[in-house]
Amino acid sequence: MVINSLEKFRPKLHYAPQKNWMNDPNGLVYFEGEYHLFYQYNPYDSKWGPMHWGHAVSRDLISWEELDIALHPDDNGTIFSGSAVVDWHNTTGFFPDEPGLVAIFTHHLDKEDGNPPVQTQSLAYSYDHGRTWTKYDQNPVLKDESKIDFRDPKVFWHKEFSQWIMALATGQSISFYSSPNLIDWTFKSEFGNGIGSHDGVWECPDLFRLKSDDTGEEKWVLIVSIGDDPDRLMGSRTQYFIGSFDGGSFAPDHKSIKWLDFGKDNYAGVSFSDIPEEDGRRIYIGWMSNWRYANQVPTEGWRSQMTLPRELSLQKKGDNWQLVQLPVQELNSYFAKATQIPAGEVDGRSYYSVDESQAELTLTIEQKDAVNYGIILHHRDNQSTTITIHSAEKVLVLDRKHSGVTDFSKMFGDIQKIDLDNSSTLQLRLIVDTSSLELFIDNGAYALTSLIYPDQSCEGISVFSTEGNINVKDGVISTLSKQI
Ligand code: FRU
């Protein structure tokens, strides 16, 4: 079958728009049985341009239906990133009859007089589950013309304080505001001076609490994306902080920089609002691309896809808290076991044929006396992506130099790596789609998200060791069990 070139790299398990350009996920919210994914969207081209909010809905976070554009530019500007909430108690006055959705987003206004653009925060509300929207007639609701970068509001209801809290990206900091009604906002505090990575502009914050399953302790997590800077090896990237939030200011527990993902292709991610308490999960989606090359990736007619939705949780290692992430459990019903990788020692290489564009590998490997070991994901025509664990250095390296089309960006083919705590026994989970792979190590303690552009993504998988043995403890390759 000749694959239409427009569709060659189209994912099945990951959301991508039918046509044209997409970047950040926006307004992630659950309401009456539907997960809403809004996103930065340019309906005129497959490159970044005048931003709208595109819209898709899903009932299981894996199969998405694309709907009409939700928000269009207006006199206040184009529609940059932001969030959405359910106004359960009509704090806004927009919902006298029954609760509905409010979007809180940045208006970005380019100036023709040579002055810098102006960014302000605005509202829109919907009475029909996000299908149509009305912009608030007093927009914008928050402005500060002293700040050029003033965007990406992420809003949540703070139960104990009975207030809405907004985290807003303000240049090299995150500013917090509070409001009783989403309309009148009061500045509370600014976070970021002297802490974290400042290699690029701070964007797309998210602030939420998580409870440790192990100890029952509660911590606040602040996620901050950092824009691309040409001097930085990894391009745009996302960091996070763990600490406490007293309703007005955030205090981190640590000085060190914590990266959300060790791959190059997970940016601007945020979590869902209003997931019911009985469910209780904190679910996150990132934009699976990198500003360094997002406008050049070799897809035609459409560009960009989202990461798989991931459940976030907390883990304590020694005295340090860290985020753990795994794809949502809804993914499991899309895969069925295809090949059992037999337990036993490997000295050299064992190959397993797959011949699919979607696959999942779970594998536990004990190092034994191998110097290096790992996995080769074989694509078609000698293209491959290699994951190597260098035992002595305790480092995992993912090499996509030979994965297919890579020449659209100088740094796309450079290695991606994880510094591991332990390299003697590793539990790996790898999810392969048409043009991406997502690697989770040790039940999600480390994640590495990486685009690839091969002719076919998974012809086979090899497990290998060099200069010694490994012990494969447990391994399964699964393929799609139902059509999406
Ligand atoms: C992050 C970002 C946001 C902005 C949006 C514009 O990727 O730069 O800060 O709101 O993209 O599309």
Side-chain angles (χ1 to χ4, degrees), residues 58-187:
S58 173
R59 291 190 171 266
D60 72 352
L61 291 160
I62 307 294
S63 300
W64 294 93
E65 180 192 355
E66 186 167 331
L67 300 178
D68 289 344
I69 289 176
L71 298 174
H72 294 257
D74 58 44
D75 290 347
N76 286 313
T78 55
I79 316 294
F80 271 23
S81 287
S83 48
V85 295
V86 183
D87 184 12
W88 293 106
H89 304 294
N90 193 24
T91 61
T92 52
F94 301 155
F95 303 102
D97 300 327
E98 52 188 3
L101 296 176
V102 183
I104 308 101
F105 59 89
T106 299
H107 261 125
H108 172 95
L109 190 63
D110 284 313
K111 294 286 195 181
E112 267 143 35
D113 54 12
N115 282 318
V118 175
Q119 299 186 333
T120 54
Q121 318 320 317
S122 290
L123 305 179
Y125 48 94
S126 170
Y127 296 123
D128 55 2
H129 299 89
R131 270 52 177 188
T132 60
W133 291 83
T134 307
K135 302 244 181 66
Y136 177 50
D137 59 7
Q138 308 285 312
N139 278 340
V141 294
L142 178 61
K143 53 184 179 181
D144 179 344
E145 298 213 1
S146 69
K147 298 211 161 91
I148 296 175
D149 294 302
F150 192 64
R151 60 176 178 270
D152 309 340
K154 180 70 162 75
V155 171
F156 67 95
W157 179 252
H158 195 301
K159 269 197 310 247
E160 290 83 344
F161 292 93
S162 291
Q163 298 257 2
W164 297 101
I165 302 289
M166 178 194 290
L168 192 69
T170 46
Q172 289 291 323
S173 63
I174 302 303
S175 297
F176 298 103
Y177 294 81
S178 71
S179 169
N181 56 10
L182 296 173
I183 294 165
D184 304 299
W185 291 96
T186 307
F187 173 79

Side-chain angles (χ1 to χ4, degrees), residues 23-24 40 48 51 80-81 106 151-152 203-204 267-268 287 291:
N23 57 291
D24 316 356
Q40 290 288 279
W48 190 85
M51 283 293 111
F80 271 23
S81 287
T106 299
R151 60 176 178 270
D152 309 340
E203 301 185 312
C204 299
Y267 191 65
W287 173 46
W291 277 118

Side-chain angles (χ1 to χ4, degrees), residues 259-377:
W259 299 112
L260 188 68
D261 199 299
F262 293 84
K264 290 181 185 157
D265 299 313
N266 181 358
Y267 191 65
V270 283
S271 67
F272 276 88
S273 182
D274 292 283
I275 299 224
E277 260 172 48
E278 323 75 90
D279 179 324
R281 289 180 295 174
R282 179 57 54 174
I283 300 172
Y284 157 101
I285 297 181
W287 173 46
M288 196 153 59
S289 198
N290 192 310
W291 277 118
R292 185 70 59 84
Y293 46 68
N295 277 281
Q296 285 82 41
V297 299
T299 57
E300 281 173 53
W302 62 277
R303 245 199 207 99
S304 291
Q305 47 188 309
M306 296 300 179
T307 66
L308 285 169
R310 299 176 185 178
E311 182 177 353
L312 299 177
S313 50
L314 273 183
Q315 193 179 62
K316 201 169 194 177
K317 269 206 182 155
D319 285 341
N320 282 321
W321 288 101
Q322 66 173 41
L323 272 184
V324 171
Q325 54 192 305
L326 282 174
V328 290
Q329 83 214 5
E330 284 85 340
L331 181 68
N332 299 347
S333 71
Y334 285 81
F335 279 113
K337 178 165 158 179
T339 306
Q340 175 79 41
I341 298 182
E345 300 214 342
V346 173
D347 177 6
R349 201 192 261 204
S350 304
Y351 176 82
Y352 305 93
S353 169
V354 181
D355 197 22
E356 295 282 347
S357 294
Q358 287 74 33
E360 179 183 26
L361 166 74
T362 53
L363 190 64
T364 302
I365 307 179
E366 198 189 342
Q367 181 210 337
K368 305 289 275 183
D369 55 358
V371 172
N372 298 330
Y373 65 95
I375 291 162
I376 304 172
L377 181 61

